[in-house]
Amino acid sequence: MQLPAEAVASTALIEVVRISALPTEKGAPYPGRAVAHWTGSEAAKALTLIETLPDSEQHRCGFSPGWSVRAYEDSLDLALFEAAFCFSCHEVRMHGTAVPAALATQFFDVDSPQAQALLHLFRAATA
């Protein structure tokens, strides 16, 4: 999976969100509860897992994401990007100031070791 390279290099903090609904307008953050904040090696590990997610074909479920990550630089003002993950339809939707249109919708192999490790990190964040 491709992430915006400049944004990844600038990321100082990852906020993990347990999504509760879809946004009501395009580009708005996914509603939900922030369950974790990762910095340093935790953030780097998560970004590496995301970047190494193998591609997949599109599956249809209507896009019902359960988790998102928001990447922030040091200022913590505005998210560089948010990526919402649907482990049912294998889809990731990204938006934010650093996301080119070509990266906005991607598909990943939910059964890959990287995806399962990422899902484990998400679930562990709520424990």
Side-chain angles (χ1 to χ4, degrees):
M1 184 180 149
Q2 287 187 292
L3 293 174
E6 287 182 25
V8 169
S10 299
T11 297
L13 177 127
I14 298 276
E15 180 175 56
V16 180
V17 177
R18 183 67 169 128
I19 297 173
S20 59
L22 293 176
T24 55
E25 56 188 66
K26 186 176 179 161
Y30 283 82
R33 180 173 57 95
V35 295
H37 293 95
W38 297 331
T39 60
S41 63
E42 283 182 310
K45 178 181 178 180
L47 290 170
T48 298
L49 280 174
I50 294 167
E51 287 182 312
T52 60
L53 289 172
D55 293 338
S56 176
E57 293 183 11
Q58 181 176 7
H59 293 73
R60 292 283 183 199
C61 85
F63 191 67
S64 182
W67 304 94
S68 80
V69 293
R70 295 180 188 140
Y72 294 91
E73 58 189 350
D74 285 332
S75 67
L76 303 177
D77 289 336
L78 185 64
L80 297 166
F81 67 88
E82 179 174 22
F85 297 83
C86 180
F87 282 81
S88 296
C89 67
H90 303 215
E91 187 172 341
V92 177
R93 292 186 186 171
M94 277 194 295
H95 63 91
T97 58
V99 180
L103 300 183
T105 302
Q106 299 180 56
F107 300 93
F108 68 104
D109 180 357
V110 299
D111 296 318
S112 70
Q114 298 93 323
Q116 290 302 302
L118 184 63
L119 184 58
H120 176 75
L121 288 176
F122 289 158
R123 288 177 174 161
T126 61

